Amino acid sequence: MFHGVTALLHRAVREAALKRRHHLLRLATAFFLLVLLVTAHSRSSTWGAPGLYYFARVSTLNVVLVTLAGIGLFAPCIVEEREQGTLPLLLLAGIDPLGVILGKAGGRLFVGLTLLAVQIPFGALAVALGGLLLDQALAAYAVLAAYLLLAAAWGTAVSAMTARSATASLLTAVGLIVFLGSPWLLMTSASGFVGVGWVSSGSAFVKAMHGAAEWLEGRNVVLVLQHILNASAAASGWRQTAGSYVFTAAVLLGISWWLLRKDVYGEGWLWRKDRASRTRSREVSAMVNKAVDAMWVSPVMWKEFRVLGGGWKVFVTKCVLYPLLFAGFHWEMQTYRSLTRGFHDYWELMFLIFSAMVALEWLFYAARLFGDELGSGGWSVTSTLPMSLGRVAFEKLLGCLWAGTPTLVAVAVAGSQISTEWKRLVTDANRLSVLFAVLLFWHLVVLTSLYVRRGSLVLSTAIVVLAGTLLFPLLLSAATTFAAYGGDVEPVAAVLYCGISLTVLLQFCIWTRLRYLAAVEG
């Protein structure tokens, strides 16, 4: 049994140690940290305690990357075997479910821990810059390693109980975000309940929420890192935090093992529904879909509408839900104003809410527009359809546009009541920059989905975070120079030129990659 438990883990660690891309990733991490260190040293005359400033930025960046790793790396580790149908093969090879968990998650955890280990020498150099002690740096890395273990265990546990990679990534993201924001969420909720008069400020319920928020503040990785860097490492209580992370991770891994054993030995779990009810539901859906399919001439557009957009069920749900959302926020602003405090224009608030929903919805579409077919092998069929590659891409976009029509209509309805927002969107350089930033990020997600089978959204976010951190001093210098010598150039014209140029460049890269994939896999 123990051989079966450790066999897959040994194989995963050996593969991780032999893959060239992992070594290149470690070298890129070291180079990136070296550039940040040189930047901090060059600005040591203007920044107080440059070592502390550098290490604080690196720690925050590590928290973001570890969270993204939990979503993009560990969440699909078990469910991808279930989707591909290879989980029974691993069991036939004599590997225990515990071995599957350790093997699938252990290799990825090994890569993450080595990336943290690469940073330790640079933490020692930050100590030499001043403002940071060695025990503070080591304590911070110990907390980050424990948080990585916790994120890995949570992603693995979610992966063991779900049937789809997208569901696992979504639940992992929700869990980690709620964990990081739980102190603020509890304090805000308590204040809101008191503000609307549901409970008194001295009630036991409010005291319990405040106590829970304070306890979670002591277990929050962001706040613990701040305490380590702002005070001595011994006074921050980092050992209790790291210990609680490791204990929780061990419990989650035990739960993962139990869930996977129930699944593979035929007992079923949450994601398994009653087969008879599912069969009846599929028969009814097949009858409806067969009648509707006849009305569609563009098969690719209809496929994207059903697969990415959720079909008519999700479309009708949006059409019913969005008017209720308009009415609910209008009632809240007229009655309590606990959630909408600080907003005086109802339509401006709704415009911002639905604009954010459009951005998130199209991020989801961009990540799966080509990624699903490339991951499942369906692109070899799509690329051989009797239509041009441009028409395939165009119909895919039309299907996503049709699926997202209710949200776009909601934005248009809210924006029609505040005509100034549309004018600002064209005349204000800051708002135009945000629009192009979202548009470029959509294109970047589509481009990365053509290179990686899963985790394109996580990879694109990591690229943006790393590039923004690395290029921020250069962009700041360029902005200063532009303000000093380029005053005769309109900022809106500059934003339009840069935004359109980068968009066209990314579209060209996407088109080139699509043609290559069509030639190779078609």
Side-chain angles (χ1 to χ4, degrees):
M1 175 180 177
F2 289 103
H3 174 73
V5 167
T6 58
L8 194 59
L9 176 61
H10 287 166
R11 180 176 178 272
V13 173
R14 289 177 62 184
E15 285 185 350
L18 292 175
K19 285 184 178 179
R20 182 180 302 176
R21 62 183 182 184
H22 293 163
H23 296 290
L24 293 177
L25 181 60
R26 296 182 189 100
L27 289 175
T29 302
F31 176 75
F32 174 73
L33 294 175
L34 181 61
V35 172
L36 286 182
L37 196 64
V38 171
T39 303
H41 177 68
S42 63
R43 294 178 174 267
S44 58
S45 59
T46 57
W47 293 342
L52 180 62
Y53 178 80
Y54 155 80
F55 197 80
R57 294 181 66 187
V58 171
S59 299
T60 304
L61 185 62
N62 278 322
V63 172
V64 175
L65 295 180
V66 168
T67 305
L68 294 177
I71 300 171
L73 290 180
F74 297 102
C77 65
I78 304 297
V79 71
E80 65 184 8
E81 298 290 342
R82 185 179 290 127
E83 287 179 331
Q84 297 171 2
T86 55
L87 192 57
L89 299 179
L90 294 176
L91 300 175
L92 289 176
I95 301 176
D96 189 79
L98 180 59
V100 175
I101 292 174
L102 294 179
K104 298 297 294 183
R108 307 178 190 202
L109 183 62
F110 173 77
V111 175
L113 291 176
T114 53
L115 289 177
L116 288 178
V118 167
Q119 304 178 27
I120 294 179
F122 294 94
L125 291 177
V127 173
L129 286 178
L132 183 70
L133 298 177
L134 183 60
D135 61 343
Q136 290 177 310
L138 295 178
Y141 279 120
V143 172
L144 287 172
Y147 178 59
L148 174 62
L149 182 61
L150 177 64
W154 170 245
T156 305
V158 173
S159 183
M161 69 172 67
T162 52
R164 298 179 59 190
S165 299
T167 305
S169 298
L170 178 61
L171 293 178
T172 303
V174 170
L176 292 177
I177 292 173
V178 169
F179 171 71
L180 294 176
S182 54
W184 174 85
L185 181 62
L186 288 175
M187 296 295 292
T188 305
S189 301
S191 301
F193 292 151
V194 173
V196 299
W198 289 354
V199 293
S200 61
S201 58
S203 63
F205 178 73
V206 174
K207 291 181 179 179
M209 294 188 70
H210 287 171
E214 292 177 359
W215 185 85
L216 289 172
E217 285 179 356
R219 304 297 184 271
N220 189 283
V221 61
V222 178
L223 299 178
V224 170
L225 289 175
Q226 291 179 356
H227 293 162
I228 292 175
L229 298 180
N230 294 334
S232 63
S236 60
W238 66 271
R239 290 184 177 86
Q240 292 81 357
T241 302
S244 63
Y245 285 176
V246 173
F247 175 77
T248 307
V251 173
L252 289 174
L253 288 176
I255 294 174
S256 304
W257 183 24
W258 178 67
L259 292 175
L260 194 58
R261 285 180 64 88
K262 289 179 69 67
D263 176 31
V264 299
Y265 292 131
E267 299 177 27
W269 189 239
L270 296 176
W271 61 275
R272 298 194 179 207
K273 298 180 180 179
D274 179 57
R275 296 184 180 273
S277 62
R278 291 183 64 178
T279 303
R280 289 192 298 269
S281 177
R282 287 175 180 175
E283 291 177 353
V284 175
S285 299
M287 295 175 59
V288 176
N289 294 332
K290 186 176 180 180
V292 176
D293 285 345
M295 298 186 297
W296 287 82
V297 181
S298 304
V300 178
M301 179 175 67
W302 172 238
K303 181 185 78 70
E304 299 303 329
F305 173 74
R306 290 190 56 195
V307 175
L308 296 188
W312 290 107
K313 293 181 181 179
V314 177
F315 187 87
V316 174
T317 301
K318 291 179 182 178
C319 294
V320 175
L321 182 62
Y322 289 166
L324 296 178
L325 193 62
F326 272 106
F329 271 95
H330 184 270
W331 174 77
E332 202 278 339
M333 289 191 70
Q334 298 295 326
T335 309
Y336 296 116
R337 295 194 61 84
S338 60
L339 298 176
T340 56
R341 189 180 298 120
F343 290 94
H344 302 287
D345 191 342
Y346 164 75
W347 291 109
E348 181 180 0
L349 173 63
M350 301 309 299
F351 180 80
L352 294 176
I353 290 176
F354 281 104
S355 297
M357 293 177 65
V358 167
L360 295 176
E361 188 175 38
W362 279 86
L363 276 180
F364 173 78
Y365 295 156
R368 298 184 58 188
L369 188 63
F370 298 101
D372 283 0
E373 292 177 335
L374 292 174
S376 61
W379 177 249
S380 59
V381 178
T382 304
S383 59
T384 56
L385 291 175
M387 60 178 66
S388 63
L389 188 61
R391 182 183 172 185
V392 170
F394 180 70
E395 288 194 9
K396 281 178 169 289
L397 290 176
L398 283 183
C400 296
L401 183 64
W402 179 243
T405 298
T407 314
L408 295 175
V409 170
V411 172
V413 169
S416 64
Q417 304 298 322
I418 43 172
S419 58
T420 56
E421 289 294 328
W422 301 106
K423 295 180 181 178
R424 292 177 184 176
L425 196 61
V426 180
T427 59
D428 190 356
N430 294 327
R431 295 174 181 264
L432 196 61
S433 300
V434 173
L435 178 62
F436 273 110
V438 174
L439 183 63
L440 291 173
F441 189 65
W442 288 342
H443 284 77
L444 181 61
V445 172
V446 174
L447 181 60
T448 53
S449 69
L450 300 178
Y451 288 91
V452 296
R453 295 298 180 256
R454 288 184 175 88
S456 59
L457 182 58
V458 176
L459 178 60
S460 302
T461 305
I463 291 174
V464 170
V465 171
L466 293 175
T469 306
L470 184 62
L471 299 178
F472 178 75
L474 299 178
L475 295 176
L476 185 61
S477 301
T480 305
T481 305
F482 175 79
Y485 301 102
D488 54 338
V489 180
E490 288 292 335
V492 174
V495 171
L496 284 173
Y497 175 77
C498 296
I500 294 175
S501 301
L502 292 176
T503 303
V504 172
L505 177 62
L506 287 176
Q507 289 180 351
F508 175 76
C509 295
I510 293 171
W511 176 252
T512 304
R513 182 63 179 175
L514 282 176
R515 293 186 62 183
Y516 171 78
L517 293 175
V520 171
E521 302 186 13

